[in-house]
Amino acid sequence: MLKMTKTIIKLTVRDVRFPTSLEQHGSDAMHTDPDYSVAYVVIETDQGMQGYGLTFTVGRGTEIVVCAVEALSALVVGKSLEEIVSDFRGFYRLLTSDGQMRWIGPEKGVIQLATAAVLNAVWDLWARSEGKDPRKLISCIDFRYITDALTEEEALDILVKAQTGKQQRVDQMLKEGYPAYTTSCAWLGYSDQLLKQLCTDALNDGWTKFKVKVGADLKDDIRRCSLIRQMIGPHNTLMIDANQRWDVGEAITWVTRLAEYKPLWIEEPTSPDDILGHAAISKALAPLGIGVATGEQCHNRVMFKQFLQASALQFVQIDSCRLGSVNENLAVLLMAHKFKVPVCPHAGGVGLCELVQHLILFDYISVSASLDNRMCEFVDHLHQHFRSPVVIQNAHYMPPKDPGYSCEMLESSVQTHQYPQGQVWKKLQ
Amino acid sequence: MLKMTKTIIKLTVRDVRFPTSLEQHGSDAMHTDPDYSVAYVVIETDQGMQGYGLTFTVGRGTEIVVCAVEALSALVVGKSLEEIVSDFRGFYRLLTSDGQMRWIGPEKGVIQLATAAVLNAVWDLWARSEGKDPRKLISCIDFRYITDALTEEEALDILVKAQTGKQQRVDQMLKEGYPAYTTSCAWLGYSDQLLKQLCTDALNDGWTKFKVKVGADLKDDIRRCSLIRQMIGPHNTLMIDANQRWDVGEAITWVTRLAEYKPLWIEEPTSPDDILGHAAISKALAPLGIGVATGEQCHNRVMFKQFLQASALQFVQIDSCRLGSVNENLAVLLMAHKFKVPVCPHAGGVGLCELVQHLILFDYISVSASLDNRMCEFVDHLHQHFRSPVVIQNAHYMPPKDPGYSCEMLESSVQTHQYPQGQVWKKLQ
């Protein structure tokens, strides 16, 4: 029998954790001891091709995501890549709307993270094989539940219009890269001295946009914001991030107290599910010139749709692993463009920078055609574990040149950090 | 050493599934082949007491919830019941806001279902040992993120006011029971003939309120609604349930076509996450006298808060296993009371009727003091597997008399239905 298609014959998933909590990297008001981790997926075709995917987690519970990926694998193994991408919308819905498994989501939590890991691997495999035109991309999006905000025709129209000037933007990106901001200087667990040192280094490296974690203690926040504003001067950009620490009223009061340090945005002021709460906060802070940013824990396109409809955010923070892979991120990028809200992706963690750079470059080149008020988060951690780590030059993401979705990790890193049997974890036990 | 407290020394969880898909019980527009299942939890104290808890699922994926319960068990085992209930709010937050595991929720999806299963067992254990006054109950609620809608003081005030007439309502419930409606007659997969037969039987048994599944095919829906309205006559109550099948505009058009059959509500017209969508549907259907009901897949108090704030539903359908146990259901009952929206619980599945009868009796006796537009769902499936199954008399839930939260299953049922090793599943393989 002739094999005309690439059939996926195997899916493996591993629980890979980095003991970042030992040094308070990534600490914030709600996640005080994160061990940056991934559920790491490899799919293999009968022709020996591989696709790599992952979703990001912060330690305990990664085994639950692994369990969910294993449950989804039955829907993937045995399918050909051609079969999947010829009706990617249908395949997306197969994973997210399985008549039994959707009960434990739907399209949220562990099951959505697992979907992202699996689909990221499929996109990685697909990315290595061919180009995608606007119509093809639209066919990947599940418009269910969002047609009251964006129809398929409107989406296609956006992509077709953005063909103008595309090559120019590609050339610009290849030359300059996409603007980034850094979160590496001011994690909540860092001392003032370390913060100062990291800030000085970052300024020397050309960084102009800085994010500070806040929300645990107002006095501390005032001191830290004052310190960093002093370090970076009045013309560089400061953002603050509370990681969901506050109630609605509390958020307004607290951020008002920090207004004198001129933050561009307050990120995750309250529950990531509270659309109306974010709308109230946005309204209250608008006169102070402070926007609201959220999205890293916004679990699907339906939530983003409402955040946009309710003017509840001024910066859309997509996440490559929280949403259902490229498919769902495309829906959000297009909605954000329609609602004229800039997208500033969430990154950091493990692999999030590697993945999301593709999405934000796509946003600039093929959707928004604008850099106004736009930048992509960067955290300088754990890139050394990737086959094609991000390249940052003068505080800009330089476009990745290797084929695929940049998810592939070094096999040695995976083995050393596998939980609980890897060498790193054995030593810690 | 004296043992003054009941320490939880063991937690076990099992994957128990019933092959209900074989006969299309429970089938609807989105869940076409559910195998009703539970993640079944038993906790044991050093004094030999046991607490039983569960969360409901519909088959595949139950193993993921089991995995999540196992991950949470480390936070439970070793704690005493007294320690837990003396700061139940804190314990609730320990489970829902663990610095690492919250990433894969937060407070949603698999992790929230697992939280419900564990806490249901704790409530079962606690329920067997003592009474609870209003102040104690308030101390179980996590008010984080809902203080803009309901403060602790307001909540206490509601409970204190409802002390008036309490004994009278208790006596009334003991005598008459709580009004119920039936969903057993009209699952989507049933033939017209079966629907007619079941309807006739139900009318003979005293049922006056009936729910029909809709949403897959408009012609079918018209035929089925017409048939059931004819069977039950103009004065009995009809509700329709689309199980999230539609987009917003589609929901309005479709339900308008069914308006002549005078449904009291349309349940789950669209995505359970779409607060603003439900608000638009509510507004459009109000002139037709049709309300919107939702909640069985509404994953936390923050979502219910917004549904209430946005006037997006006219019937609150709490679920004993989707929300984080009694703790979070208390918050929702109190908010619903403040917003003057009746609570009509979701039930059915496995054990949901057994659990939720406690909550709705509590709502009547200690919160709302009203039966206006209120009723609790009933589905006549799988009760025989419980130690203390619900008792229905003349279409009313009769108050449970055994101590605890009615979660305990027959050990023989658990063993026979354990997945995949139980006898029932071995036969099917």
Side-chain angles (χ1 to χ4, degrees), chain A residues 10-18 37-44 50-57 59 61-67 69-70 117-118 350 387 407-422:
Chain A
K10 196 176 163 190
L11 184 154
T12 59
V13 54
R14 284 176 285 179
D15 179 337
V16 183
R17 306 189 193 185
F18 300 88
S37 309
V38 290
Y40 181 61
V41 173
V42 183
I43 53 177
E44 280 182 43
Q50 295 187 312
Y52 302 88
L54 58 82
T55 195
F56 171 61
T57 53
T62 310
E63 75 279 15
I64 309 170
V65 181
V66 164
C67 182
V69 169
E70 282 164 353
V118 170
V350 188
R387 176 82 56 200
C407 299
E408 187 178 355
M409 297 179 79
L410 300 177
E411 184 57 26
S412 58
S413 291
V414 173
Q415 286 186 12
T416 319
H417 294 86
Q418 241 187 298
Y419 186 88
Q421 69 271 42

Side-chain angles (χ1 to χ4, degrees), chain A residues 143-391:
Chain A
F143 284 89
R144 175 179 270 176
Y145 303 140
I146 59 170
T147 53
D148 52 328
L150 182 80
T151 64
E152 197 166 335
E153 296 67 37
E154 289 173 312
L156 184 60
D157 189 49
I158 292 170
L159 290 181
V160 169
K161 277 196 182 130
Q163 298 284 312
T164 313
K166 192 169 162 180
Q167 191 54 48
Q168 213 173 338
R169 291 192 294 277
V170 169
D171 295 341
Q172 180 197 359
M173 287 296 108
L174 287 170
K175 198 175 148 211
E176 300 169 12
Y178 193 91
Y181 73 86
T182 176
T183 309
S184 293
C185 298
W187 294 107
L188 207 56
Y190 284 4
S191 70
D192 287 2
Q193 201 187 345
L194 182 57
L195 191 153
K196 267 177 162 169
Q197 183 57 51
L198 291 170
C199 224
T200 307
D201 296 348
L203 285 162
N204 289 337
D205 289 343
W207 291 94
T208 59
K209 305 178 179 81
F210 300 81
K211 195 163 79 186
V212 186
K213 297 285 178 177
V214 299
D217 181 277
L218 182 56
K219 266 192 191 162
D220 273 2
D221 289 351
I222 290 172
R223 195 188 72 252
R224 288 156 48 85
C225 285
S226 163
L227 180 65
I228 200 163
R229 177 50 85 192
Q230 217 176 319
M231 296 288 300
I232 68 176
H235 301 301
N236 283 322
T237 305
L238 177 68
M239 287 86 72
I240 56 177
D241 182 0
N243 291 86
Q244 315 165 20
R245 185 62 183 256
W246 304 312
D247 282 22
V248 175
E250 197 181 8
I252 296 168
T253 316
W254 197 303
V255 177
T256 302
R257 291 290 306 276
L258 299 176
E260 67 175 293
Y261 308 107
K262 305 275 176 213
L264 175 66
W265 75 50
I266 170 64
E267 180 170 332
E268 291 203 304
T270 189
S271 163
D273 293 340
D274 198 350
I275 298 146
L276 300 179
H278 281 82
I281 296 167
S282 290
K283 206 174 162 188
L285 297 181
L288 300 172
I290 304 171
V292 168
T294 194
E296 74 185 66
Q297 296 203 0
C298 187
H299 51 271
N300 61 36
R301 68 197 177 286
V302 181
M303 295 301 288
F304 274 110
K305 178 188 78 168
Q306 295 174 84
F307 273 104
L308 291 164
Q309 288 173 324
S311 304
L313 41 60
Q314 288 70 51
F315 300 91
V316 168
Q317 300 183 301
I318 54 165
D319 183 291
S320 56
C321 293
R322 176 75 58 182
L323 292 174
S325 190
V326 180
N327 312 66
E328 196 154 33
N329 271 290
L330 287 174
V332 176
L333 292 178
L334 290 161
M335 285 193 290
H337 181 71
K338 183 175 167 192
F339 283 85
K340 299 189 173 52
V341 177
V343 176
C344 297
H346 170 245
V350 188
L352 298 181
C353 300
E354 277 69 19
L355 290 165
V356 93
Q357 62 179 338
H358 293 266
L359 300 176
I360 198 61
L361 283 164
F362 174 80
D363 181 63
Y364 178 58
I365 294 168
S366 301
V367 180
S368 73
S370 167
L371 293 176
D372 284 356
N373 256 331
R374 284 165 172 86
M375 51 189 151
C376 186
E377 184 166 20
F378 177 69
V379 184
D380 197 8
H381 281 157
L382 307 170
H383 303 291
Q384 69 274 23
H385 300 293
F386 285 81
R387 176 82 56 200
S388 307
V390 287
V391 176

Side-chain angles (χ1 to χ4, degrees), chain B residues 248-404:
Chain B
V248 174
E250 197 182 6
I252 295 168
T253 316
W254 197 303
V255 176
T256 301
R257 291 290 305 277
L258 299 176
E260 66 175 295
Y261 309 107
K262 305 276 176 210
L264 175 67
W265 75 51
I266 171 65
E267 181 170 331
E268 291 203 305
T270 188
S271 164
D273 293 340
D274 198 349
I275 298 146
L276 301 179
H278 280 83
I281 296 166
S282 290
K283 206 173 161 190
L285 297 181
L288 300 173
I290 304 171
V292 168
T294 194
E296 72 184 68
Q297 296 203 0
C298 187
H299 51 272
N300 62 35
R301 67 197 177 284
V302 181
M303 295 300 288
F304 274 110
K305 177 187 78 167
Q306 295 175 85
F307 273 104
L308 291 164
Q309 287 173 324
S311 304
L313 42 60
Q314 288 70 51
F315 299 91
V316 168
Q317 299 184 301
I318 56 165
D319 183 292
S320 56
C321 292
R322 176 74 58 181
L323 293 174
S325 191
V326 180
N327 311 66
E328 195 154 31
N329 270 291
L330 287 174
V332 176
L333 292 179
L334 290 160
M335 285 193 289
H337 182 70
K338 183 176 165 190
F339 283 84
K340 299 189 172 53
V341 177
V343 176
C344 298
H346 170 245
V350 188
L352 297 181
C353 299
E354 276 70 20
L355 290 164
V356 93
Q357 61 178 337
H358 293 267
L359 300 175
I360 197 61
L361 282 164
F362 174 81
D363 180 64
Y364 177 58
I365 294 168
S366 302
V367 180
S368 73
S370 166
L371 293 177
D372 285 355
N373 256 331
R374 284 164 172 87
M375 51 189 152
C376 186
E377 184 166 19
F378 176 70
V379 184
D380 197 8
H381 282 157
L382 307 170
H383 302 290
Q384 69 274 25
H385 300 294
F386 286 80
R387 176 81 57 199
S388 308
V390 287
V391 176
I392 298 288
Q393 276 176 19
N394 193 33
H396 284 68
Y397 276 90
M398 300 311 292
K401 294 190 174 156
D402 294 332

Side-chain angles (χ1 to χ4, degrees), chain A residues 84 87-97 107 112 115 119 140-142 300-301 323-325 327-328:
Chain A
I84 290 172
D87 178 21
F88 211 153
R89 180 182 300 166
F91 184 70
Y92 178 84
R93 199 179 278 187
L94 180 77
L95 263 63
T96 57
S97 280
E107 299 187 77
Q112 184 80 332
T115 300
L119 289 179
C140 300
I141 300 173
D142 187 352
N300 61 36
R301 68 197 177 286
L323 292 174
S325 190
N327 312 66
E328 196 154 33

Side-chain angles (χ1 to χ4, degrees), chain B residues 107-348:
Chain B
E107 299 188 76
K108 61 176 64 74
V110 169
I111 204 85
Q112 184 80 332
L113 293 170
T115 300
V118 170
L119 289 179
N120 283 342
V122 172
W123 275 91
D124 182 60
L125 189 64
W126 192 24
R128 291 162 195 260
S129 41
E130 55 177 308
K132 285 115 201 122
D133 68 15
R135 206 166 288 274
K136 189 85 194 162
L137 285 171
I138 294 294
S139 80
C140 299
I141 300 172
D142 187 352
F143 284 88
R144 175 178 270 176
Y145 303 141
I146 59 170
T147 54
D148 54 328
L150 181 79
T151 64
E152 197 167 335
E153 296 67 36
E154 289 173 311
L156 184 60
D157 190 48
I158 291 170
L159 290 181
V160 169
K161 278 199 181 130
Q163 298 284 313
T164 313
K166 193 170 163 180
Q167 191 53 51
Q168 212 172 342
R169 292 192 293 277
V170 169
D171 295 341
Q172 180 197 0
M173 287 296 109
L174 287 170
K175 198 175 146 209
E176 300 169 12
Y178 193 91
Y181 73 85
T182 176
T183 308
S184 294
C185 299
W187 295 105
L188 208 56
Y190 284 4
S191 69
D192 286 3
Q193 202 188 345
L194 182 57
L195 191 153
K196 267 178 163 171
Q197 182 58 52
L198 291 170
C199 225
T200 307
D201 295 348
L203 286 163
N204 288 337
D205 289 343
W207 292 94
T208 59
K209 305 177 179 80
F210 301 80
K211 195 163 81 186
V212 186
K213 297 285 178 176
V214 299
D217 181 277
L218 182 56
K219 265 193 191 162
D220 273 1
D221 289 350
I222 290 172
R223 196 189 71 252
R224 288 155 49 84
C225 285
S226 163
L227 180 66
I228 199 164
R229 177 51 85 191
Q230 218 177 319
M231 296 287 302
I232 68 175
H235 301 301
N236 284 321
T237 305
L238 177 68
M239 287 86 71
I240 56 176
D241 181 359
N243 291 85
Q244 313 166 20
R245 184 61 182 254
W246 304 311
D247 282 22
V248 174
E250 197 182 6
I252 295 168
T253 316
W254 197 303
V255 176
T256 301
R257 291 290 305 277
L258 299 176
E260 66 175 295
Y261 309 107
K262 305 276 176 210
L264 175 67
W265 75 51
I266 171 65
E267 181 170 331
E268 291 203 305
T270 188
S271 164
D273 293 340
D274 198 349
I275 298 146
L276 301 179
H278 280 83
I281 296 166
S282 290
K283 206 173 161 190
L285 297 181
L288 300 173
I290 304 171
V292 168
T294 194
E296 72 184 68
Q297 296 203 0
C298 187
H299 51 272
N300 62 35
R301 67 197 177 284
V302 181
M303 295 300 288
F304 274 110
K305 177 187 78 167
Q306 295 175 85
F307 273 104
L308 291 164
Q309 287 173 324
S311 304
L313 42 60
Q314 288 70 51
F315 299 91
V316 168
Q317 299 184 301
I318 56 165
D319 183 292
S320 56
C321 292
R322 176 74 58 181
L323 293 174
S325 191
V326 180
N327 311 66
E328 195 154 31
N329 270 291
L330 287 174
V332 176
L333 292 179
L334 290 160
M335 285 193 289
H337 182 70
K338 183 176 165 190
F339 283 84
K340 299 189 172 53
V341 177
V343 176
C344 298
H346 170 245

